[in-house]
Amino acid sequence: MHLEVISEKMLLAGKWRDAEKTFDVFNPQNNQLIAKVPLATEKDMLLAIEKGNEAFKTIQFPTNDRIHVLNKAADYIEKYNEDYAKTIAKEGSKTITEARGEVKRAVKTIRISAEEARRINGETINFDQNEGSENRVGYHYRFPIGVIGAITPFNDPLNLVAHKIGPAIAAGNPIVVKPASVTPLSALLLAEAFINSGLPDGFLSVITGSGREVGETLVTHPLVTMVSFTGGLETGKRIAHQAGLKKVNMELGSNSPVIVLNDANLYDAVRSCVSGAFSAVGQNCIGVQRIYVEKEIYPKFLQAFVEKTTHLHVGDKMCELTDMGPMINEKEAKRVESWVEDAIFAGAKLLVGGKREGTFYEPTVLTDVPESAKIAKEEIFGPVVIIERISSFQEAIERSNNVNYGLHAGIFTNDIEKAFHAIQHLQVGGVMVNDSSDYRIDAMPFGGMKGSGLGREGVRSSIEAMTEPKVVCFKLKGI
Ligand code: NAP
């Protein structure tokens, strides 16, 4: 186990490899160089894909072996959990406490993958429902589809990679992962867990390098049967366009709404929305971005929300008392700063926050944001939340839907009729009742509508996407 990494290797078909060139990985908190990582070339990517395909064609990898490998990898991560947490916290934005939470989730994701591997079932088909087919019997079963190409983002650098590798292995598919260039170390450490768990060579490659340079090869290669992408909308559109006629799973961004109705438990709503807006510095695909509060409780909600936000401790990621660390880099922090400034220029009111220092951006609350402002329409992916007064429940539903995203939404109410109305009419992949949009477990189907993506992740859904049903039919002569 290595942690103070200066010079990393990438994993190419089960073997650790250098590349001619490297790229630098920095700690966003202080801009310190923490690692040099191989800058893969197209040739490396091609080799990883070909080796993956070769392994798929030649290695017997029965379910009991897959379950064993997955559980051993989970044991390994559990054993070295603190090293994993420190790596996440060092290369990314998360505080050490948040990073520890991510490690626990990654272990769970891999264990669920092991469990789900037992349940990759088909069913019998009653062919005799058709006239003339009375003498036929058969079934369908699910078969692995071959090399999976996975591309992952920076914000959950371990668990989102586990969400690709776990289901791929459970299904019996080799996988080639291209992790985010700003946070490749957690993915490499995850690969270490699999390599130490007896995964056959060829079934896993973690190819580090620029998405723009090696991504297209992974996406377009004919031996890659499915592309599983998690990242931003623009990258997702480009990849979907390049992939053409192959399976594609797109887990993209959002600007999630939460509706707070008059009868809600105010304390719960405030606590949950503050956490949902600012955890991981708001760099969270289901983070709370827009809160619509019924006008009668709006003043109380706003006051309590601002007060709680003011008490958040922003600072050193490695300190256990810190609530919020830095953003992933200064460019992103400056982008957030400019979106807030533009909104204020257009008439929005700043209630708290709004200042930047290097990569740190204060937790920020805005109200009266014009609907046309970028921050009200696009994904901010930073520690900024908009709280608006609404005159009716219907207005809240309409404004929630009036964007090009639809991943998760939350609603706080004790009125069951209104909860069900929201469930039916919100155009999203998940509605959390009496929780903010930022609620998820790793076993549930996860994904969105509109610009938030295509298909569903979550172990079982991913396994389904990474397998296909094959129909078997016997024609019997009869005796
Ligand atoms: P990003 O900029 O879209 O990058 C994601 C990945 O795509 C990185 O590995 C990147 O590689 C790669 N990439 C970039 N250009 C590419 C290309 N032309 N071809 C192939 N790959 C390419 O996203 P991010 O900033 O890392 O992550 C933030 C976004 O992810 C947000 O929008 C967030 O909402 C979304 N997200 C969604 C979910 C979900 O499950 N729905 C979960 C987490 C995050 P490089 O790093 O080398 O550029």
Side-chain angles (χ1 to χ4, degrees):
M1 167 70 41
H2 47 274
L3 186 61
E4 294 303 325
V5 191
I6 298 298
S7 191
E8 263 293 3
K9 290 181 191 295
M10 63 182 166
L11 188 76
L12 203 162
K15 303 275 185 285
W16 295 106
R17 291 278 174 88
D18 290 313
E20 257 176 46
K21 291 187 187 164
T22 59
F23 64 95
D24 296 335
V25 179
F26 298 96
N27 179 341
Q29 180 157 304
N30 48 23
N31 216 24
Q32 249 175 24
L33 177 70
I34 52 173
K36 288 196 166 288
V37 176
L39 183 68
T41 60
E42 197 190 344
K43 214 170 129 197
D44 299 317
M45 186 57 92
L46 284 171
L47 198 58
I49 295 167
E50 282 158 14
K51 292 269 183 195
N53 185 57
E54 196 182 306
F56 184 60
K57 291 270 153 68
T58 56
I59 297 174
Q60 282 259 357
F61 194 20
T63 306
N64 64 81
D65 283 353
R66 298 179 215 159
I67 293 170
H68 183 70
V69 164
L70 287 161
N71 277 325
K72 268 191 90 177
D75 293 344
Y76 186 90
I77 301 166
E78 252 169 359
K79 182 169 172 194
Y80 296 107
N81 66 84
E82 193 59 11
D83 294 336
Y84 279 85
K86 282 182 180 155
T87 303
I88 294 170
K90 209 166 167 188
E91 68 174 347
S93 280
K94 287 190 173 177
T95 64
I96 187 68
T97 312
E98 290 171 333
R100 286 180 186 137
E102 185 177 339
V103 176
K104 279 196 185 139
R105 281 187 57 188
V107 168
K108 198 150 243 175
T109 300
I110 295 166
R111 292 224 190 273
I112 299 168
S113 300
E115 285 169 29
E116 289 294 342
R118 295 180 199 279
R119 296 193 273 268
I120 305 176
N121 295 323
E123 60 183 18
T124 54
I125 302 170
N126 52 341
F127 289 100
D128 67 346
Q129 66 191 279
N130 271 28
E131 282 163 32
S133 287
E134 290 81 0
N135 61 341
R136 286 180 173 84
V137 292
Y139 57 92
H140 84 254
Y141 72 96
R142 301 198 73 87
F143 67 94
I145 56 175
V147 181
I148 307 293
I151 301 178
T152 55
F154 74 84
N155 61 314
D156 287 311
L158 185 75
N159 191 36
L160 289 179
V161 184
H163 264 286
K164 313 282 186 206
I165 300 178
I169 300 302
N173 294 311
I175 179 165
V176 178
V177 182
K178 209 306 284 167
S181 295
V182 282
T183 55
L185 306 180
S186 305
L188 292 169
L189 211 50
L190 181 58
E192 193 174 305
F194 280 95
I195 292 313
N196 280 291
S197 304
L199 182 68
D201 282 358
F203 268 81
L204 177 62
S205 290
V206 177
I207 300 296
T208 49
S210 156
R212 284 179 180 274
E213 282 164 33
V214 293
E216 191 172 343
T217 307
L218 184 60
V219 170
T220 56
H221 199 293
L223 291 177
V224 174
T225 46
M226 176 186 171
V227 177
S228 177
F229 173 74
T230 305
L233 174 60
E234 290 314 312
T235 320
K237 278 186 194 163
R238 182 192 301 234
I239 288 175
H241 181 72
Q242 287 172 343
L245 203 59
K246 65 171 68 169
K247 285 189 128 183
V248 174
N249 213 77
M250 289 280 151
E251 300 296 327
L252 310 178
S254 193
N255 49 13
S256 301
V258 174
I259 298 170
V260 184
L261 299 183
N262 283 334
D263 68 333
N265 178 321
L266 199 75
Y267 172 81
D268 268 1
V270 169
R271 190 177 44 86
S272 171
C273 288
V274 168
S275 156
F278 301 121
S279 65
V281 205
Q283 298 163 129
N284 171 7
C285 58
I286 47 174
V288 177
Q289 185 169 331
R290 301 172 290 139
I291 307 177
Y292 299 111
V293 189
E294 271 194 306
K295 59 183 186 302
E296 290 78 7
I297 57 158
Y298 171 82
K300 260 193 173 166
F301 181 92
L302 200 64
Q303 189 190 6
F305 194 100
V306 169
E307 195 181 321
K308 201 161 175 56
T309 302
T310 315
H311 287 120
L312 292 176
H313 185 256
V314 181
D316 179 8
K317 289 181 291 183
M318 293 322 226
C319 168
E320 294 185 355
L321 299 175
T322 300
D323 296 304
M324 231 180 71
M327 291 195 64
I328 192 67
N329 55 41
E330 193 159 350
K331 186 169 160 237
E332 277 298 286
K334 282 184 172 163
R335 178 188 58 76
V336 168
E337 182 180 38
S338 80
W339 286 27
V340 170
E341 282 170 3
D342 288 351
I344 294 169
F345 186 73
K349 267 194 219 131
L350 176 71
L351 297 170
V352 63
K355 287 206 192 70
R356 181 184 67 81
E357 213 180 303
T359 49
F360 286 89
Y361 194 80
E362 288 179 343
T364 297
V365 182
L366 297 170
T367 189
D368 294 339
V369 179
E371 288 263 293
S372 57
K374 199 169 188 181
I375 214 165
K377 291 264 173 215
E378 304 300 329
E379 178 185 40
I380 182 72
F381 217 59
V384 182
V385 65
I386 299 168
I387 306 179
E388 303 294 7
R389 179 193 305 103
I390 43 119
S391 305
S392 68
F393 177 43
Q394 201 45 40
E395 181 191 346
I397 300 276
E398 279 164 19
R399 289 177 75 172
S400 294
N401 287 339
N402 190 25
V403 290
N404 183 32
Y405 290 105
L407 192 49
H408 270 193
I411 175 164
F412 285 87
T413 182
N414 287 308
D415 182 331
I416 199 163
E417 298 289 338
K418 287 186 175 162
F420 271 102
H421 185 87
I423 291 164
Q424 196 179 350
H425 294 281
L426 286 168
Q427 296 159 356
V428 291
V431 177
M432 307 300 131
V433 181
N434 291 327
D435 259 314
S436 87
S437 55
D438 185 28
Y439 180 78
R440 175 188 184 182
I441 64 165
D442 296 289
M444 70 192 217
F446 181 73
M449 298 168 67
K450 302 193 268 186
S452 291
L454 289 174
R456 293 292 180 267
E457 201 156 80
V459 178
R460 193 167 179 181
S461 306
S462 299
I463 291 177
E464 203 162 296
M466 292 174 182
T467 54
E468 286 284 7
K470 185 175 282 187
V471 173
V472 180
C473 178
F474 291 86
K475 183 180 173 187
L476 304 173
K477 278 210 224 106
I479 43 177

